[in-house]
Amino acid sequence: MTDPSPRGFIVAAPRSGSGKTAITLGIARALANSGYRVAAAKTGPDYIDPAFLSRAAGGAAINLDPWAMDAATLKARAAHHVHGHDTLLIEGVMGLFDSAIDGKGSTADLAATLDLPVILVIDCDRQAQSVAALVHGFASWREDVTIVGVILNKVASDRHKTMLRSALGKTAIPCLGAIPRRADLALPERHLGLVLPGDIEGIDDYLARAGSIMTTHLDFRLLGAIAAPVMAAAQIPSLPPLGQRIAIARDAAFAFIYPHLLESWHTAGASLSFFSPLANEAPDKDADAVFLPGGYPELHGATLAAASGFKSGLRSARDRGALIYGECGGYMVLGQTLTDKSGATYPMTGLLPVSTAIDRPRRVLGYRRLTHSSPLPWPEKLCAHEFHYSRQYFPNVEQSGATEHSTPYLLPPLFGAFDALGTPLDPMGCVLENVMGSYAHIIEGAPQ
């Protein structure tokens, strides 16, 4: 902690489900308990893991997305985030080399861009000496990615640990420790991923336990020695603010917003205020823009349906000409009705002539390249991501021959859409004068 230069590393794994989230949370809490100032970050487009990382590290976590952000932006965000801290702790996404369908955006890409070392978490369940071949293969796959240590997870016994460590001795990559198999390190999940921290009873006990387990079983001196300095870089602005006075919905139903957007809007001079639709709060009366982020409105249908103050406040904002923008769950609330997974239907705000239902057999998931010519004060080309189980439909309009994403018969779509490969998709969302929304979560302007 005496070194004024902050150092960083990335926790990754060969595949999803290896336990890297629990281990990263434990490391963050253990470091914080030892007096380190930890700046945490998550690779890729994720809202849930950063919420847990923020709680574990004791400060806001950010997203570093190597698909949606160019190298200069990634370096600037990392350097700005770790300023005033001792350690930059980044959790990877999926497997180390897994990426979007176009081959871009992996944790390995982020490690190479930031020139940070990788700690590989290995799920050792039903595996022994083969761990050496696995580690050797990952360590030698890309010359611009350096794996500096291994954490063995789900180790069954002392004998199992001895076998694993002996095999790893042939790779010349140090073992930072072995975490025993423990059911109490698992986090509960729901249909869109992990439950938010505030929804888990005893979350602080869980984080304390995870930190204690990591303190007991990991070599933190070695971890500190193999972390690398974080490169300095000048700050780069993100998307322009939606207005000069932005009212932002924020509660358990509207929790999905990227911290880098809020910080960029604040830096650009915008005034930000927050309100809770679940508490029947209305946006500030002087707001010239209202943002309804994504989240879990389908879990709060009855409460939102009864929130008359919220609804009337939103209609007043529309009537005075404020820009009203909703993303995914926020878009659903701007519609006429929302039908939850059980089939119960609730009236929403009715500002857009769209209804939604949580009835897809499979989720819609993927990066999106978007274009637009809407009132949004953003570049024409944007990078975004889509993740939902709901579908949209237009109950008051004859839809013969129309697809669920297109609205050629009533309203212009908000975005033209393409997948990561550039393959055209159905247009997304709709615009009705100063009210607009879609299923897209906007990450950044498209890299130049």
Side-chain angles (χ1 to χ4, degrees):
M1 291 188 294
T2 59
D3 186 350
S5 176
R7 304 176 72 83
F9 58 93
I10 298 175
V11 179
R15 60 172 177 82
S16 294
S18 298
K20 66 178 178 290
T21 295
I23 286 176
T24 306
L25 293 175
I27 292 173
R29 177 52 63 92
L31 289 171
N33 286 344
S34 297
Y36 286 83
R37 296 164 296 173
V38 181
K42 172 68 180 182
T43 309
D46 189 305
Y47 296 104
I48 305 296
D49 285 353
F52 279 90
L53 287 167
S54 297
R55 192 109 171 199
I62 64 168
N63 297 79
L64 295 171
D65 193 321
W67 186 87
M69 301 172 185
D70 60 23
T73 300
L74 290 169
K75 293 174 183 177
R77 294 261 160 80
H80 179 72
H81 186 50
V82 79
H83 180 73
H85 295 76
D86 305 298
T87 303
L88 177 63
L89 169 59
I90 303 175
E91 181 189 352
V93 62
M94 301 184 295
L96 176 59
F97 302 111
D98 295 332
S99 65
I101 193 172
D102 61 354
K104 301 176 181 177
S106 68
T107 302
D109 290 340
L110 180 63
T113 298
L114 299 182
D115 195 22
L116 288 179
V118 173
I119 308 297
L120 199 64
V121 174
I122 306 293
D123 180 350
C124 300
D125 189 35
R126 291 175 289 186
Q127 181 173 215
Q129 287 88 348
S130 294
V131 69
L134 178 65
V135 171
H136 173 75
F138 270 76
S140 59
W141 187 249
R142 278 180 58 166
E143 292 184 357
D144 59 347
V145 176
T146 305
I147 295 176
V148 296
V150 172
I151 296 175
L152 304 171
N153 194 28
K154 300 181 185 177
V155 177
S157 63
D158 287 342
R159 182 171 180 270
H160 188 200
K161 179 171 65 175
T162 298
M163 295 168 69
L164 293 165
R165 281 185 172 273
S166 176
L168 278 178
K170 302 175 183 178
T171 68
I173 296 176
C175 178
L176 292 168
I179 309 302
R181 184 187 297 152
R182 294 187 59 142
D184 59 354
L185 276 180
L187 287 164
E189 298 190 5
R190 71 157 58 114
H191 65 284
L192 290 182
L194 294 171
V195 179
L196 288 165
D199 296 333
I200 299 179
E201 184 177 355
I203 180 59
D204 291 322
D205 290 338
Y206 169 86
L207 293 172
R209 183 168 61 252
S212 177
I213 292 170
M214 298 309 137
T215 300
T216 299
H217 295 283
L218 296 185
D219 185 343
F220 278 85
R221 287 191 177 184
L222 179 56
L223 180 60
I226 60 183
V230 179
M231 293 182 289
Q235 190 173 4
I236 293 177
S238 184
L239 295 172
L242 292 170
Q244 284 303 303
R245 299 176 302 280
I246 310 172
I248 302 167
R250 184 167 66 180
D251 56 29
F254 302 92
F256 295 169
I257 185 166
Y258 290 119
H260 69 266
L261 293 181
L262 297 183
E263 182 171 358
S264 183
W265 296 347
H266 177 74
T267 301
S271 172
L272 309 182
S273 61
F274 299 90
F275 66 101
S276 169
L278 291 180
N280 200 23
E281 295 174 356
D284 278 357
K285 293 181 179 180
D286 65 348
D288 58 7
V290 180
F291 180 27
L292 302 182
Y296 294 123
E298 66 274 20
L299 300 181
H300 307 276
T303 302
L304 291 170
S308 57
F310 159 60
K311 291 180 178 180
S312 63
L314 208 58
R315 288 193 292 269
S316 295
R318 175 199 60 189
D319 294 343
R320 69 172 180 266
L323 185 151
I324 300 176
Y325 169 61
E327 287 189 347
C328 201
Y331 174 53
M332 295 163 69
V333 173
L334 289 176
Q336 294 179 339
T337 63
L338 187 162
T339 301
D340 67 18
K341 196 173 183 180
S342 71
T345 298
Y346 302 97
M348 292 290 106
T349 62
L351 271 63
L352 291 175
V354 61
S355 288
T356 55
I358 311 290
D359 60 3
R360 282 183 174 276
R362 298 179 62 185
R363 64 188 178 185
V364 177
L365 171 67
Y367 279 114
R368 301 291 181 255
R369 302 182 188 276
L370 305 178
T371 60
H372 78 108
S373 56
S374 75
L376 291 171
W378 293 341
E380 178 186 356
K381 296 182 179 181
L382 300 165
C383 289
H385 119 278
E386 192 175 3
F387 187 0
H388 58 92
Y389 279 86
S390 70
R391 64 178 176 90
Q392 66 178 27
Y393 61 99
F394 297 83
N396 298 332
V397 180
E398 176 62 34
Q399 300 185 67
S400 178
T403 66
E404 67 174 85
H405 280 302
S406 62
T407 58
Y409 38 78
L410 229 198
L411 301 175
L414 177 55
F415 297 121
F418 307 82
D419 69 11
L421 288 174
T423 304
L425 304 173
D426 288 330
M428 297 183 67
C430 56
V431 179
L432 180 57
E433 297 178 346
N434 54 316
V435 182
M436 64 214 70
S438 82
Y439 277 122
H441 296 275
I442 306 302
I443 304 170
E444 192 62 85
Q448 302 297 316

